[in-house]
Amino acid sequence: KLHDKHRIFEKNIKSKFLKTRCEKSSSLTRTILSAEHNDAVTGVTLKMAFDSSPIWGVADLSETKSERFTSPESLDMVHRLRRESSAVLVGRGTVERDDCSLSVRRVELLEGQKQPTRVVLDPSLKILEGDYSVLRDGFETLIYHLQSEGQGVDDVTTLDLGDSVKLVGVKESVPRINNSNRHLSPELVLKDLSSRGLDHIMVEGGPATARAFLDAGAVDRAILVRAPVEFQVPVPAGINVETLLKAGLEMIGTTEMG
C-alpha cells in the first residue's frame, strides 16, 4: 500500500521570529500527528496537498469535478489541524472550485469549542455572486475585500448575508494601475484577525494565497502532503522546497500516513 508523505517545515530560529514561536510550532507538529490538543500554538500554519509530479500539482484539469486525492488518515490530520486553529483561511478560488465548508467534521470538537472562523480573501467580492456553503451554513465567516477610499460595505453589496457572514474592507497599501493586480496584504489581514482574538490561522490555499503568505514571510510552519498519485493534467502550485526556504522555513522532519 502506498502512503501520503508529509514534509514538515518550521520557521528557522535564526530568523527574525522569536524562538518561543518555534517551540510552539514543534508542539503543534506533535499534536497533528496524534489525537492530543494544544491551545498554546499561535501564528500561521500553511497546509497544502500536492500530487507526486515534479511540478507539485494541486488539481487535475482533466477532471470535471475536484476530488480528494489524499488518504483518509491525512484528511483526519487536516481536521485535527482545523480544530487547533482559531481561523481557517483560503482564497476565493478555493471556495469557487470546491464549495468547501472549512469546518471540523472528521474529529470531535472539544467541550464548549466552536467551529473555527472561516476567512475568505476576495478582493472584488465576486464570491457573493455564487451560492456557497460558507455563505449559508450559519458558521462564522469573514470575507476580506479591497476597499476604495470612502467606500463602505453598503456600497459593495445589497445581499442579506445574515449575522454569520461579515465583510471586512481593507485599504490598498500600493496604488494600482489600470485596475489590475488587486491583492490583499497578508500582513493587514493578519493584523485585523489578531484584533479579533484570532491568533492561530490555518492557511489551506489555494496556491496563489499560499505563495502570498510565503512571500510576505508570514508563515510560521508548513505541513505539505505529497500523495502517491500523479495528475494527468496537473495545475502547478508554484511552490517547492526552495520557495519554503526563501520564506525562512526549514524542514524538520517527514512522516507517512495512509
Side-chain angles (χ1 to χ4, degrees):
K1 181 182 178 180
L2 298 176
H3 303 275
D4 295 338
K5 295 183 178 179
H6 294 218
R7 297 181 182 181
I8 303 168
F9 293 76
E10 292 181 357
K11 186 70 73 174
N12 190 318
I13 62 173
K14 295 180 181 179
S15 71
K16 62 181 179 180
F17 292 85
L18 297 177
K19 181 178 180 181
T20 53
R21 293 182 71 174
C22 296
E23 291 171 346
K24 289 180 178 181
S25 296
S26 297
S27 67
L28 176 70
T29 300
R30 292 192 295 271
T31 295
I32 64 169
L33 298 178
S34 66
E36 298 176 1
H37 169 68
N38 189 330
D39 60 3
V41 179
T42 60
V44 175
T45 300
L46 171 65
K47 190 283 303 178
M48 293 284 289
F50 311 89
D51 74 345
S52 59
S53 67
I55 65 172
W56 293 43
V58 293
D60 193 345
L61 289 178
S62 69
E63 300 288 342
T64 58
K65 180 182 178 181
S66 178
E67 299 287 352
R68 176 175 60 84
F69 57 92
T70 57
S71 69
E73 291 83 359
S74 290
L75 190 57
D76 289 343
M77 178 275 293
V78 171
H79 283 255
R80 286 197 299 272
L81 183 54
R82 287 179 183 174
R83 184 177 61 185
E84 300 300 315
S85 306
S86 48
V88 179
L89 182 151
V90 297
R92 182 191 72 240
T94 298
V95 176
E96 291 178 331
R97 183 179 65 252
D98 301 335
D99 191 17
C100 43
S101 73
L102 304 175
S103 59
V104 178
R105 302 183 305 280
R106 293 179 66 97
V107 298
E108 292 186 4
L109 291 170
L110 303 176
E111 185 176 355
Q113 184 183 16
K114 67 175 185 177
Q115 289 284 349
T117 299
R118 285 88 58 86
V119 178
V120 182
L121 305 188
D122 182 7
S124 303
L125 284 178
K126 291 183 179 179
I127 191 177
L128 300 182
E129 299 172 4
D131 181 30
Y132 301 108
S133 296
V134 294
L135 300 178
R136 52 180 165 75
D137 63 10
F139 295 137
E140 184 176 356
T141 302
L142 299 174
I143 303 176
Y144 285 83
H145 64 95
L146 286 175
Q147 182 174 337
S148 302
E149 195 69 34
Q151 180 189 52
V153 169
D154 293 338
D155 300 322
V156 295
T157 180
T158 57
L159 297 177
D160 181 9
L161 298 173
D163 296 333
S164 62
V165 179
K166 295 182 176 60
L167 305 182
V168 184
V170 177
K171 293 182 179 179
E172 298 179 80
S173 56
V174 180
R176 289 179 290 111
I177 300 175
N178 297 328
N179 202 38
S180 62
N181 296 324
R182 305 196 75 200
H183 299 295
L184 287 159
S185 162
E187 295 93 336
L188 293 180
V189 171
L190 291 173
K191 182 178 180 181
D192 184 80
L193 290 172
S194 178
S195 72
R196 299 171 187 271
L198 303 174
D199 52 10
H200 180 206
I201 313 302
M202 176 184 177
V203 176
E204 283 204 46
T209 299
R211 289 195 303 270
F213 276 76
L214 287 168
D215 291 344
V219 177
D220 295 295
R221 63 201 68 87
I223 297 124
L224 308 184
V225 182
R226 301 296 303 274
V229 298
E230 189 164 335
F231 296 144
Q232 294 184 40
V233 187
V235 177
I239 296 172
N240 53 34
V241 173
E242 184 178 352
T243 310
L244 297 163
L245 294 176
K246 288 182 178 179
L249 300 167
E250 61 181 356
M251 189 167 70
I252 65 165
T254 61
T255 187
E256 292 187 351
M257 286 188 180

